[in-house]
Amino acid sequence: MSGHTAHVARPDTATGWKARRMSAVTLPAGTYSVRVDITGTAGLAFEVHVGGRVAFYAGSDWRRFTLDQPTEVYVQLAVRPTWTGEATLTPVILEGDWTTT
């Protein structure tokens, strides 16, 4: 896994959820939109952490959020215990409201 793109593969199921944190960025105050571009199979969840806490879950649709001050933001990949397969994912965070485009 690099800081911005991850490739995951698992041939067998596991016990419990497995999570991997992507690189964090500190964003200035403002409005942002986030989504996760994914190629591969489903069974993955993407937690968006804002200021060290899970703020919401992201997917292929844009989700808007607003920061009142500079804040650390990162996406964490969570893999279901029953998931097997391969996937490549890239979180995308853009300044502004992209949810209406």
Side-chain angles (χ1 to χ4, degrees), residues 9-32:
R10 187 166 66 190
D12 300 310
T13 60
T15 57
W17 284 79
K18 305 294 180 196
R20 294 292 180 264
R21 176 181 165 166
M22 305 290 282
S23 293
V25 294
T26 299
L27 300 173
T31 298
Y32 297 89

Side-chain angles (χ1 to χ4, degrees), residues 33-96:
S33 296
V34 62
R35 76 172 189 217
V36 178
D37 292 334
I38 184 166
T39 303
T41 60
L44 309 172
F46 306 98
E47 304 169 342
V48 178
H49 291 244
V50 177
R53 300 178 63 183
V54 176
F56 55 89
Y57 289 87
S60 59
D61 294 329
W62 287 107
R63 293 284 309 265
R64 183 183 69 234
F65 64 101
T66 301
L67 303 175
D68 297 330
Q69 61 187 8
T71 307
E72 182 181 78
V73 176
Y74 64 89
V75 174
Q76 181 166 289
L77 164 68
V79 182
R80 287 181 214 286
T82 57
W83 181 79
T84 59
E86 288 190 52
T88 301
L89 59 112
T90 305
V92 179
I93 301 173
L94 297 178
E95 188 172 9

